[in-house]
Every structure is written in C-alpha cells, then in structure tokens.
Amino acid sequence: MNKTIKKYVPGIVFVLAISIASMFLNDLLKVYINLEALTIAIIIGIVYNNTVGTQKVFNEGVKFSLKKLLKVGIVLLGFKLNINSLLQLGPKILIMVMIYVPVALILSMMLGKVLKVNKKLSALIGVGSCICGASAVVAMAPCIGADDDDSVISVSIVSFLGAIGVLIYSGVAASHMDLSPVQYGAWSGLSLHGVAHALAAAFAGGNEAGEIGTIVKMTRVLMLVPVSIVLSLIFNNGNTSSKKTKFPMYVLYFILAGVINSLGIIPTGITNILTNGSSIFILMAMTAMGLSVNLKSILNKGVKALITGTILFIILSTGSLLVIMNIL
C-alpha cells in the first residue's frame, strides 16, 4: 500500500467506527430522545479527545475526514437539492447573508476592543463565526498576517462554539418550537459557525430544513473571497500583494450537482446512492470535528477570546432568529 494512503487509514477507520456506533446509538435512543447520529458523533468525539485523547496514529485520518470527506459529502449533497426552493428563497438569502457577514465581523472587532482581545484574533473569530468556521480561519490567517497562536485559539473557539451550537439547535429542532422547516434550516445555515455545524443542526430538523440550511451556508462560504480581499487591505495598509484565499471550488460543484439533479437525467437509484454516500461522509466529518475540539487549549490560551466568541454567537444567533421569523 502507498505510504501516503497508509497514514490516513487508521484515522479514517477510527472515525468510521465512531460514526457507525453513533448510528446504532441513535436508533437505540430514538424512542426517548431524537438527538440524531450527527449530534451523538460530535459528543463522542469531544468526550474522547478531552478524556482519553485522540492517539497520534489517528491524526492524519481525522484531519482528512474533516477537510476532504466533508467537501466530498457537500458536493454529493447537491444531488438532494431542490433548485425550486433555491429560486424561491434566492434573493432573500443573498440579502440576509450580505448583511449578516459584515455585521458579524464589525461586531466581533467591537467586542474584541471592549474585552481587550488583539485585533487579528478578533478578526479571525469574526471570520470563523460568519463565514465557514475553522476553514475560514485557516484560509484568512495568512491574508491578515496573524500568528499561529491566534489561528489555533480561533480555530479551537469556533469549533467548540459550533459544536455546542449544534447541540442547542438540535434541541430546538426536537422541541418542535414554532419554526417551519424553512425558517429552522435558514437559521442553522445563517448563524452556525462551520459548514459541518450548520449541516448537522439543519438536518436535525429534517430533510427540507437540511437542504435549506445547506443552501444558506454555501452562500455564506462564497463570501470568503470578497472578505479576504477587504481584510487584506485593512490589515496590510492597502497592500493587496499579500496572500489571497482561493475560490472554494467545492461550492461550485455542489451547485452543479443540484442543477444536474433538477434536470432529472440521473436515475433515482443512483441519486439515492450518491445522497446516502453524502450522509456517511458528512457524519464522518462531524465525528472528526468532535475529535478535533481541544477544551484545554481554549481555556489555557484564550479565555477573553472565548468570551468574545460566545457573546458574538449569542447576539448573532438570537438576532438572526428574530429576523428569519419575521421575513421567511
């Protein structure tokens, strides 16, 4: 076996094992509480990593599951897409996202100033909160010249708050609060940190909510490129020659898959296989995300930053919910 592939195998098998276990647990617990396999997988991952500790031999496979399998899962999820829903919601979603992203960023910078968190760390927490979680932080850090410590703290905080958000939102979905699937899906897609978080919470509200949440979240991911240009200008005194983020191509493939599915040219049997594959890959990515949350590093290095991120999340979550309930 190729050495490169070999280093991923233990971690991928470990992630898959936890994913399968979470599916079984979900079936057992369904009678008492409907947590969803995604939520159970995140909880198992966080508990394991912060008690036993994820062994080094699993690290590469866990990273691969979180970064690569998530993207493959999202692209395949496009074959579930209902383009009609997108066309009906399109303008409203676009306007919401275009207002939400700059408001969240400005708010993060202001909170950081009040709590005396350094500017770059505040910006990274804002970016992670309003675009696409840890991956936005990693993409944006070189653009603004942030140091490694700022990146690690931001990634930890955003991953932790997103995981907690999934648990809270899944609770809301299970409580049958007076939210339509469209409203709940849009709320999850608009206000949760990473792609994995938004999808986990949105699908806890059913398939329609999951599809809407995915569309809203992908619209947010597209903001990564313009935001990186603006922040590069701000932090590099107008010099745009610094590193730029790449266009997230998987979003384009996701839309393409949705268009192909809407044309009805793929047999239902094949579509089912593709969407089932999507569910498994996304579940594995959730497990990997849980296994990547390090509570110690958050508490040791960034208590003020954690407070900033928490206050920001509370304001954005409640504010966006109120807006969505009134306009969707």
Side-chain angles (χ1 to χ4, degrees):
M1 195 189 285
N2 187 310
K3 263 189 184 177
T4 315
I5 297 169
K6 215 174 180 179
K7 68 177 181 182
Y8 297 121
V9 174
I12 293 170
V13 171
F14 182 58
V15 164
L16 183 60
I18 294 177
S19 302
I20 293 166
S22 66
M23 286 157 80
F24 278 116
L25 274 171
N26 183 47
D27 288 339
L28 286 172
L29 296 171
K30 247 182 196 169
V31 190
Y32 313 102
I33 184 168
N34 193 8
L35 273 178
E36 292 294 320
L38 297 170
T39 313
I40 294 167
I42 292 167
I43 295 169
I44 294 172
I46 292 174
V47 170
Y48 186 90
N49 193 42
N50 291 279
T51 51
V52 180
T54 307
Q55 287 79 358
K56 269 188 185 175
V57 70
F58 298 140
N59 285 351
E60 291 298 328
V62 168
K63 276 184 208 164
F64 179 84
S65 300
L66 184 54
K67 290 180 179 175
K68 305 291 181 191
L69 293 186
L70 178 62
K71 287 176 184 173
V72 175
I74 289 163
V75 172
L76 294 178
L77 190 62
F79 291 102
K80 250 186 189 175
L81 258 196
N82 181 346
I83 293 294
N84 293 328
S85 308
L86 177 57
L87 294 175
Q88 283 165 13
L89 288 170
K92 280 182 184 175
I93 285 175
L94 202 58
I95 291 162
M96 276 196 305
V97 170
M98 287 180 83
I99 293 169
Y100 180 87
V101 171
V103 165
L105 268 173
I106 292 163
L107 200 54
S108 180
M109 299 296 281
M110 284 165 66
L111 283 168
K113 204 171 185 183
V114 171
L115 290 162
K116 295 183 171 61
V117 174
N118 84 63
K119 243 186 180 180
K120 289 179 180 179
L121 182 52
S122 302
L124 290 179
I125 291 168
V127 164
S129 300
C130 73
I131 300 177
C132 54
S135 52
V137 172
V138 172
M140 204 66 71
C143 298
I144 65 170
D147 63 30
D148 286 349
D149 257 12
D150 288 346
S151 296
V152 169
I153 295 166
S154 309
V155 165
S156 302
I157 288 167
V158 164
S159 300
F160 172 67
L161 290 174
I164 295 297
V166 174
L167 305 182
I168 295 166
Y169 282 43
S170 300
V172 170
S175 71
H176 304 294
M177 191 176 142
D178 195 21
L179 284 174
S180 71
V182 170
Q183 288 174 327
Y184 174 76
W187 179 45
S188 301
L190 188 66
S191 58
L192 278 167
H193 304 68
V195 174
H197 304 128
L199 268 58
F203 276 102
N207 275 342
E208 190 187 351
E211 286 169 27
I212 298 296
T214 307
I215 293 163
V216 176
K217 186 65 194 176
M218 292 302 106
T219 310
R220 269 171 70 192
V221 174
L222 289 173
M223 295 292 283
L224 187 60
V225 178
V227 168
S228 74
I229 293 166
V230 172
L231 288 182
S232 292
L233 284 166
I234 293 167
F235 282 96
N236 298 297
N237 302 319
N239 175 20
T240 55
S241 62
S242 63
K243 292 181 183 177
K244 296 218 176 67
T245 57
K246 290 177 185 173
F247 181 83
M249 287 302 291
Y250 71 95
V251 178
L252 199 62
Y253 300 142
F254 162 78
I255 295 163
L256 194 62
V259 172
I260 293 167
N261 187 50
S262 301
L263 294 172
I265 52 176
I266 298 176
T268 314
I270 293 173
T271 308
N272 289 342
I273 291 166
L274 294 172
T275 53
N276 286 338
S278 163
S279 302
I280 291 162
F281 287 144
I282 290 170
L283 178 58
M284 287 175 74
M286 294 307 123
T287 307
M289 186 187 71
L291 290 167
S292 307
V293 173
N294 187 337
L295 301 178
K296 246 186 211 168
S297 88
I298 298 169
L299 295 171
N300 289 346
K301 294 179 184 174
V303 177
K304 281 183 183 175
L306 177 60
I307 295 166
T308 302
T310 306
I311 296 170
L312 179 66
F313 181 36
I314 292 167
I315 295 168
L316 294 176
S317 180
T318 49
S320 59
L321 179 60
L322 292 171
V323 171
I324 285 163
M325 287 174 83
N326 283 302
I327 69 165
L328 285 183

